[in-house]
Amino acid sequence: MDARLLLLADSRLPAGGHAHSGGLEPAVTAGAVTDVAGLADFLRGRLATSGLVAAALAAAACAHAHTGDQAWERLDAEADARTPSPAQRQASRAQGRSLLRAARTTWPHPALEALATAVREPHHPIVLGVSAAAGNGTPHQAATITAYGAITGPASAAVRLLGLDPLAVHRTLADLASGVDRIATEAAAAPDDWAALPAPSAPILDLYAELHMSADLRHFES
Amino acid sequence: MGANHDHDPHTAAPAHGRALRLGIGGPVGSGKTALTAALCRTLRDEFDLAVVTNDIYTTEDADFLRRNAVLPDDRITAVRTGCCPHTAIRDDISANLDAVEALEERHPGLDLIIVESGGDNLTALFSQGLADRQIFVLDVAGGDDVPRKGGLGVAAADLLVINKTDLAPMVGSDLDMMARDSSRVRNGRPVAFTSLREQPGAPEVADWVRSVLHEARHDNSHTARNHDHAAAS
Ligand SMILES: Nc1nc2c(ncn2[C@@H]2O[C@H](COP(=O)(O)OP(=O)(O)OP(=O)(O)O)[C@@H](O)[C@H]2O)c(=O)[nH]1
Ligand SMILES: [Mg+2]
C-alpha cells in the first residue's frame, strides 16, 4: 500500500475529524452506550449502515476521479439522498470541507480541484474517495479507509466521553476489522450505476443526530 | 524566514492582506473571555473586528459576548472542540479555520480576528497556521508559582497577561515574584499585569494589540515590496 494512503487513514490527519463523534455522543446522552460492549454494538450497527453507504460513495468517487470525468454534483446529490437527517448532512459537509482543505494541501491533484470547483462543500465520503485517488489508491482502498474511519472516529470519542479503557476499545476495533474488510469489499463491488449504490439507513441514529443539534450541552459537533 | 518566522507562509491562511489573527489562550477561568470583551469594547471603533470562541461544552463564551453586545452577533462564532481544546487550536485547526474564513467572507475588510481558546493546560500553544500572534492569560489566583513552572504558553506567547491583580492581596500572591519568574523564561517578551475588574478596558493590552496591528500592516507592505529579495535569500 502507498504510504500516502496511510496518512489519509490516520486520525492525526488535520481534517477536523476530532470534533465529531460519528453519532456516538447523542447515543451516550440517550443512555444507549455506556460500556465497551455497548460501544461494540453501536459500531457494528454503524458500520453496516452509514459505514457501508459512505464506503460505497467513497469507492465511486475514487473510481470517478481516476476516469477524469466530472459529474461531481450528481455524485454529491447521491450522498444527500442517502443522508436523510439534515444534521448529518451538515456534519458530513463540514467534514468534507475540512478534508478538502487538508487534501488539497497534502496531495495536490486535478480531481480535488475539479471537485472543489463543482461543489462548495462536498460530502465527506466523496472527498475521501477523491483524496484516495489523489494518493494513487484504488476504489477498494478508498472504501476500506472510509469504513475504517466509520468505526475509529466514534471509538475515540467513546474513550474521551465515557473514559472507557483504550486498550479494551482497541481490542473491540480489532474484532471488527474483518467486518471492515467485508464492508469495504461489498462497497467496492457496488454497481457503476450510482442510483443503485447501497442505501441502508439507521433511523435511530438519524433521530439522535437531530436531537444532538438542539441539545444545550455537547462536546462534539455531531 | 529568520526574524520573520511569525508570518508562516501557510497556503490555507495567506499571511498578507487579510485580517490579523490573534489567539488568546490560558487556563480555565483566567479571564480570556473578559479580556476578549475588553479588547472588543476598546478597539471596535478603531478597527474592524470579529471573534471566534472555542467552547468546551456549551456556547457560554459566545453567549456572554453576545449578551454583552461587545460586537454585533454575526461577528461572533462559536466552535466546538470535541473534548480537546488544544487539538482545535494546535494539532487540527480545521474548525477554527472554517470559522475564521466564514467571518472573513461575511465581513470583507476585517482588521483583526480574535480566537479565544477553550480553557486548557500550560502546554497549550496556538498553531502558526491559525494565529499570527498569541496572548496567554494567567490569573494571580491560580497560584503565584505558575510562571516559574513555565510551560509553552507562559514562555512562548507574544504577550503574557497576568490578570486579576485585584485579588492578589486576598490570595496572598506575590506579584513581584510572578514578574521575575516570567521574565526569566520569556526572553524579553512582554508581560502585562491587569485587573479587568478595576480597568475593564484593558488599556495596556489594547495598546499592545494596536502596536501589533500597525507593525503587521507595515510588514505586509514591506514584505510585498521585498518579496523577490526574500525568495532569493
Ligand atoms: N476579580 C476579578 N475577576 C475577574 C477578572 N477578570 C475576570 N474575572 C472573573 O473571572 C471569571 C472567569 O472569567 P472569564 O473571562 O470567563 O475566564 P475564561 O478564561 O474565559 O474562562 P474559560 O473560557 O471558562 O476558560 C468571571 O467570573 C470573570 O468575571 C479580574 O481582573 N478580577
Ligand atoms: Mg472563556
PDB file of all heavy atoms in Angstrom, chain A residues 24 27-36 38-40 42 158 162 164:
ATOM      1  N   LEU A  24     -21.892   9.142  18.195  1.00  0.00           N
ATOM      2  CA  LEU A  24     -21.705   8.456  19.480  1.00  0.00           C
ATOM      3  C   LEU A  24     -22.174   9.311  20.656  1.00  0.00           C
ATOM      4  O   LEU A  24     -22.817   8.796  21.572  1.00  0.00           O
ATOM      5  CB  LEU A  24     -20.211   8.069  19.606  1.00  0.00           C
ATOM      6  CG  LEU A  24     -19.746   7.097  20.688  1.00  0.00           C
ATOM      7  CD1 LEU A  24     -19.438   7.786  22.000  1.00  0.00           C
ATOM      8  CD2 LEU A  24     -20.671   5.924  20.899  1.00  0.00           C
ATOM      9  N   ALA A  27     -25.818   9.143  21.301  1.00  0.00           N
ATOM     10  CA  ALA A  27     -26.168   7.796  21.771  1.00  0.00           C
ATOM     11  C   ALA A  27     -25.806   7.642  23.250  1.00  0.00           C
ATOM     12  O   ALA A  27     -26.536   7.009  24.022  1.00  0.00           O
ATOM     13  CB  ALA A  27     -25.457   6.741  20.928  1.00  0.00           C
ATOM     14  N   VAL A  28     -24.690   8.243  23.626  1.00  0.00           N
ATOM     15  CA  VAL A  28     -24.290   8.219  25.039  1.00  0.00           C
ATOM     16  C   VAL A  28     -25.278   9.042  25.870  1.00  0.00           C
ATOM     17  O   VAL A  28     -25.735   8.606  26.937  1.00  0.00           O
ATOM     18  CB  VAL A  28     -22.853   8.770  25.204  1.00  0.00           C
ATOM     19  CG1 VAL A  28     -22.534   9.056  26.666  1.00  0.00           C
ATOM     20  CG2 VAL A  28     -21.841   7.782  24.626  1.00  0.00           C
ATOM     21  N   THR A  29     -25.637  10.208  25.358  1.00  0.00           N
ATOM     22  CA  THR A  29     -26.589  11.070  26.063  1.00  0.00           C
ATOM     23  C   THR A  29     -27.916  10.350  26.281  1.00  0.00           C
ATOM     24  O   THR A  29     -28.548  10.470  27.326  1.00  0.00           O
ATOM     25  CB  THR A  29     -26.833  12.368  25.254  1.00  0.00           C
ATOM     26  OG1 THR A  29     -25.571  12.969  24.997  1.00  0.00           O
ATOM     27  CG2 THR A  29     -27.714  13.342  26.015  1.00  0.00           C
ATOM     28  N   ALA A  30     -28.323   9.562  25.279  1.00  0.00           N
ATOM     29  CA  ALA A  30     -29.595   8.839  25.372  1.00  0.00           C
ATOM     30  C   ALA A  30     -29.480   7.591  26.250  1.00  0.00           C
ATOM     31  O   ALA A  30     -30.461   6.883  26.460  1.00  0.00           O
ATOM     32  CB  ALA A  30     -30.067   8.455  23.975  1.00  0.00           C
ATOM     33  N   GLY A  31     -28.265   7.303  26.714  1.00  0.00           N
ATOM     34  CA  GLY A  31     -28.060   6.138  27.563  1.00  0.00           C
ATOM     35  C   GLY A  31     -27.941   4.833  26.783  1.00  0.00           C
ATOM     36  O   GLY A  31     -27.965   3.743  27.365  1.00  0.00           O
ATOM     37  N   ALA A  32     -27.789   4.927  25.460  1.00  0.00           N
ATOM     38  CA  ALA A  32     -27.734   3.719  24.633  1.00  0.00           C
ATOM     39  C   ALA A  32     -26.344   3.073  24.639  1.00  0.00           C
ATOM     40  O   ALA A  32     -26.206   1.884  24.375  1.00  0.00           O
ATOM     41  CB  ALA A  32     -28.148   4.048  23.203  1.00  0.00           C
ATOM     42  N   VAL A  33     -25.323   3.857  24.935  1.00  0.00           N
ATOM     43  CA  VAL A  33     -23.967   3.310  25.020  1.00  0.00           C
ATOM     44  C   VAL A  33     -23.376   3.724  26.358  1.00  0.00           C
ATOM     45  O   VAL A  33     -23.283   4.929  26.657  1.00  0.00           O
ATOM     46  CB  VAL A  33     -23.074   3.831  23.873  1.00  0.00           C
ATOM     47  CG1 VAL A  33     -21.645   3.319  24.034  1.00  0.00           C
ATOM     48  CG2 VAL A  33     -23.627   3.426  22.515  1.00  0.00           C
ATOM     49  N   THR A  34     -23.006   2.720  27.173  1.00  0.00           N
ATOM     50  CA  THR A  34     -22.431   3.050  28.478  1.00  0.00           C
ATOM     51  C   THR A  34     -21.125   2.314  28.730  1.00  0.00           C
ATOM     52  O   THR A  34     -20.371   2.666  29.631  1.00  0.00           O
ATOM     53  CB  THR A  34     -23.398   2.668  29.629  1.00  0.00           C
ATOM     54  OG1 THR A  34     -23.720   1.281  29.487  1.00  0.00           O
ATOM     55  CG2 THR A  34     -24.683   3.490  29.572  1.00  0.00           C
ATOM     56  N   ASP A  35     -20.875   1.264  27.950  1.00  0.00           N
ATOM     57  CA  ASP A  35     -19.669   0.465  28.207  1.00  0.00           C
ATOM     58  C   ASP A  35     -19.106  -0.088  26.898  1.00  0.00           C
ATOM     59  O   ASP A  35     -19.624   0.199  25.807  1.00  0.00           O
ATOM     60  CB  ASP A  35     -19.999  -0.683  29.173  1.00  0.00           C
ATOM     61  CG  ASP A  35     -21.160  -1.542  28.663  1.00  0.00           C
ATOM     62  OD1 ASP A  35     -21.561  -1.389  27.484  1.00  0.00           O
ATOM     63  OD2 ASP A  35     -21.669  -2.371  29.439  1.00  0.00           O
ATOM     64  N   VAL A  36     -18.051  -0.887  27.009  1.00  0.00           N
ATOM     65  CA  VAL A  36     -17.363  -1.377  25.818  1.00  0.00           C
ATOM     66  C   VAL A  36     -18.270  -2.282  24.975  1.00  0.00           C
ATOM     67  O   VAL A  36     -18.272  -2.200  23.737  1.00  0.00           O
ATOM     68  CB  VAL A  36     -16.060  -2.115  26.210  1.00  0.00           C
ATOM     69  CG1 VAL A  36     -15.407  -2.760  24.989  1.00  0.00           C
ATOM     70  CG2 VAL A  36     -15.081  -1.139  26.868  1.00  0.00           C
ATOM     71  N   GLY A  38     -21.527  -2.133  24.742  1.00  0.00           N
ATOM     72  CA  GLY A  38     -22.489  -1.260  24.061  1.00  0.00           C
ATOM     73  C   GLY A  38     -21.832  -0.530  22.899  1.00  0.00           C
ATOM     74  O   GLY A  38     -22.447  -0.350  21.838  1.00  0.00           O
ATOM     75  N   LEU A  39     -20.589  -0.139  23.101  1.00  0.00           N
ATOM     76  CA  LEU A  39     -19.859   0.524  22.018  1.00  0.00           C
ATOM     77  C   LEU A  39     -19.693  -0.420  20.830  1.00  0.00           C
ATOM     78  O   LEU A  39     -19.887  -0.029  19.677  1.00  0.00           O
ATOM     79  CB  LEU A  39     -18.491   0.997  22.516  1.00  0.00           C
ATOM     80  CG  LEU A  39     -17.581   1.596  21.439  1.00  0.00           C
ATOM     81  CD1 LEU A  39     -18.157   2.908  20.900  1.00  0.00           C
ATOM     82  CD2 LEU A  39     -16.162   1.827  21.981  1.00  0.00           C
ATOM     83  N   ALA A  40     -19.362  -1.678  21.118  1.00  0.00           N
ATOM     84  CA  ALA A  40     -19.164  -2.659  20.038  1.00  0.00           C
ATOM     85  C   ALA A  40     -20.450  -2.805  19.216  1.00  0.00           C
ATOM     86  O   ALA A  40     -20.404  -2.836  17.979  1.00  0.00           O
ATOM     87  CB  ALA A  40     -18.741  -4.000  20.632  1.00  0.00           C
ATOM     88  N   PHE A  42     -22.855  -0.571  18.922  1.00  0.00           N
ATOM     89  CA  PHE A  42     -23.043   0.692  18.191  1.00  0.00           C
ATOM     90  C   PHE A  42     -22.184   0.682  16.922  1.00  0.00           C
ATOM     91  O   PHE A  42     -22.659   1.015  15.826  1.00  0.00           O
ATOM     92  CB  PHE A  42     -22.646   1.864  19.096  1.00  0.00           C
ATOM     93  CG  PHE A  42     -22.690   3.211  18.415  1.00  0.00           C
ATOM     94  CD1 PHE A  42     -23.841   3.985  18.447  1.00  0.00           C
ATOM     95  CD2 PHE A  42     -21.573   3.701  17.750  1.00  0.00           C
ATOM     96  CE1 PHE A  42     -23.892   5.229  17.815  1.00  0.00           C
ATOM     97  CE2 PHE A  42     -21.605   4.941  17.110  1.00  0.00           C
ATOM     98  CZ  PHE A  42     -22.761   5.701  17.146  1.00  0.00           C
ATOM     99  N   ALA A 158     -15.659   7.738  22.244  1.00  0.00           N
ATOM    100  CA  ALA A 158     -16.125   6.989  23.422  1.00  0.00           C
ATOM    101  C   ALA A 158     -15.068   6.966  24.516  1.00  0.00           C
ATOM    102  O   ALA A 158     -15.375   7.057  25.710  1.00  0.00           O
ATOM    103  CB  ALA A 158     -16.502   5.564  23.021  1.00  0.00           C
ATOM    104  N   LEU A 162     -16.657   8.648  27.758  1.00  0.00           N
ATOM    105  CA  LEU A 162     -17.042   7.706  28.807  1.00  0.00           C
ATOM    106  C   LEU A 162     -15.852   7.257  29.639  1.00  0.00           C
ATOM    107  O   LEU A 162     -16.008   6.527  30.617  1.00  0.00           O
ATOM    108  CB  LEU A 162     -17.709   6.470  28.182  1.00  0.00           C
ATOM    109  CG  LEU A 162     -19.093   6.692  27.546  1.00  0.00           C
ATOM    110  CD1 LEU A 162     -19.472   5.504  26.670  1.00  0.00           C
ATOM    111  CD2 LEU A 162     -20.144   6.912  28.625  1.00  0.00           C
ATOM    112  N   LEU A 164     -13.698   5.113  28.673  1.00  0.00           N
ATOM    113  CA  LEU A 164     -13.522   3.665  28.503  1.00  0.00           C
ATOM    114  C   LEU A 164     -12.033   3.327  28.409  1.00  0.00           C
ATOM    115  O   LEU A 164     -11.227   4.153  27.981  1.00  0.00           O
ATOM    116  CB  LEU A 164     -14.226   3.197  27.219  1.00  0.00           C
ATOM    117  CG  LEU A 164     -15.745   3.380  27.152  1.00  0.00           C
ATOM    118  CD1 LEU A 164     -16.291   2.800  25.844  1.00  0.00           C
ATOM    119  CD2 LEU A 164     -16.423   2.724  28.351  1.00  0.00           C
TER     120      LEU A 164
END
